[in-house]
Amino acid sequence: MPVRTVYLVQGQLGFDSMPRKLIKVTPSRLGVWNDCRRRFRMTYVDRPTPPRGGPWAHSTLGAVVHNALKALFDLPVERRTPDSAAALVGTHWKDDGFADSAQAGEFRERAAGWVHDYVKETDVSDDPVGLERWVSAPVGTIVAEGRVDRIDQRGGELVIVDYKTGRHALTTDDARGSQALALYVLAARRTLRRPCTRVELHHLPTGGVAVWEHTEDSLARHLSRAEEAADEFQLAIDTHKAGGDPEVLFPPNPGRQCSWCDFRRNCAEGQAAGPAIDPWAMLSP
């Protein structure tokens, strides 16, 4: 009887057919990549991380307000009063980055007033689905991740709420154009398995609320831009690990933002772009 020879044909199940590794993406990582490639390298690639600058007063202010509002929702409903909210600002207050105790005291009072008025004008009787909630989910070619200030449930749908304490009032365009909020929608609906399209920016200094209702098309546009940026920075990281020149892969982007960059001391181009500003310079006048 003749012997039959069986040949195994390779190719269809080679490396090209292996599933692509998803790239983890946070809004802050995308923001830094789009802002300055060198700052991205110093933040996420270089180990040990180069020394950073000191604290910024506006960041301290924002963190205090966020912490106070989170603590408010941890209280029983009957204790979620405007006065309790204002008191929580004092409980969580820090002077980091302010010029002196007098300036810190002025902004502590301002922040207490913002939070007091916000709670006075806002229904805080319902317990949010999430407070400072970390969401993470595979979407397209990325894993969208991030920490959401607040996730409400209204009428069976989730609503993404982001607190803002900056000097400028916000508009619908800010809510619509926020890549961070769009990624939070995509991650939250997968993580919590509920519908989600609405995003809100709550601006504490003015009491204004900027709202946007996303569609599948608008979310797809945000996702596409995030995927494109993720492909770019992952290629740069992989090439750097293979021995590529970091100065070529992660070039600086000198501009006015260099005046408040945390890595300014490590960047000659950033220092040449303009003078450093005081840690309290970005506070509202």
Side-chain angles (χ1 to χ4, degrees):
M1 179 180 293
V3 177
R4 299 178 62 187
T5 303
V6 178
Y7 295 94
L8 297 178
V9 179
Q10 296 181 346
Q12 283 88 353
L13 298 179
F15 288 110
D16 290 342
S17 65
M18 294 178 66
R20 176 180 176 179
K21 183 178 180 180
L22 301 181
I23 304 169
K24 289 187 177 182
V25 168
T26 63
S28 59
R29 181 170 287 214
L30 290 172
V32 174
W33 176 254
N34 292 325
D35 184 48
C36 178
R37 308 289 166 89
R38 176 174 288 174
R39 184 157 70 95
F40 181 94
R41 190 199 83 210
M42 293 181 178
T43 304
Y44 299 108
V45 180
D46 289 351
R47 292 296 179 269
T49 304
R52 296 173 180 262
W56 294 92
H58 68 280
S59 296
T60 298
L61 180 65
V64 167
V65 168
H66 281 70
N67 289 335
L69 289 172
K70 179 181 183 302
L72 180 79
F73 281 101
D74 288 337
L75 296 175
V77 173
E78 63 273 12
R79 293 179 57 195
R80 297 175 192 170
T81 66
D83 288 341
S84 294
L88 286 168
V89 169
T91 300
H92 292 275
W93 186 259
K94 295 182 179 179
D95 289 354
D96 297 347
F98 290 91
D100 50 37
S101 59
Q103 185 189 59
E106 175 189 346
F107 278 89
R108 183 176 63 248
E109 293 302 316
R110 284 199 202 183
W114 298 342
V115 172
H116 177 282
D117 293 346
Y118 176 77
V119 173
K120 182 179 179 181
E121 300 298 327
T122 304
D123 182 4
V124 295
S125 60
D126 289 334
D127 290 332
V129 175
L131 290 169
E132 299 295 332
R133 171 68 184 264
W134 182 264
V135 293
S136 177
V139 188
T141 63
I142 65 173
V143 177
E145 297 184 332
R147 191 176 301 279
V148 188
D149 292 345
R150 197 175 92 209
I151 305 176
D152 291 345
Q153 178 164 319
R154 304 177 201 162
E157 296 195 0
L158 302 177
V159 178
I160 303 297
V161 176
D162 197 45
Y163 302 127
K164 295 296 182 183
T165 57
R167 64 175 73 185
H168 300 298
L170 301 171
T171 68
T172 299
D173 287 342
D174 293 306
R176 178 183 60 191
S178 172
Q179 189 174 59
L181 295 182
L183 290 179
Y184 292 155
V185 166
L186 292 169
R189 56 165 52 168
R190 293 286 297 272
T191 301
L192 300 173
R193 302 183 182 279
R194 292 175 229 179
C196 183
T197 57
R198 183 182 176 96
V199 299
E200 297 180 354
L201 293 171
H202 292 203
H203 189 242
L204 274 293
T206 62
V209 177
V211 178
W212 181 251
E213 291 279 355
H214 274 293
T215 65
E216 296 307 312
D217 286 343
S218 67
L219 290 171
R221 288 191 293 271
H222 278 290
L223 176 59
S224 177
R225 287 192 290 269
E227 289 175 323
E228 181 179 352
D231 285 340
E232 290 175 352
F233 72 62
Q234 191 60 54
L235 177 60
I237 292 171
D238 292 343
T239 305
H240 175 258
K241 288 180 178 178
D245 186 349
E247 295 302 316
V248 174
L249 296 168
F250 302 96
N253 180 33
R256 59 189 299 268
Q257 72 277 5
C258 296
S259 294
W260 57 85
C261 178
D262 287 336
F263 296 104
R264 176 184 173 83
R265 69 176 70 180
N266 307 292
C267 180
E269 290 85 351
Q271 294 174 29
I277 61 173
D278 292 322
W280 54 88
M282 298 177 73
L283 293 168
S284 301

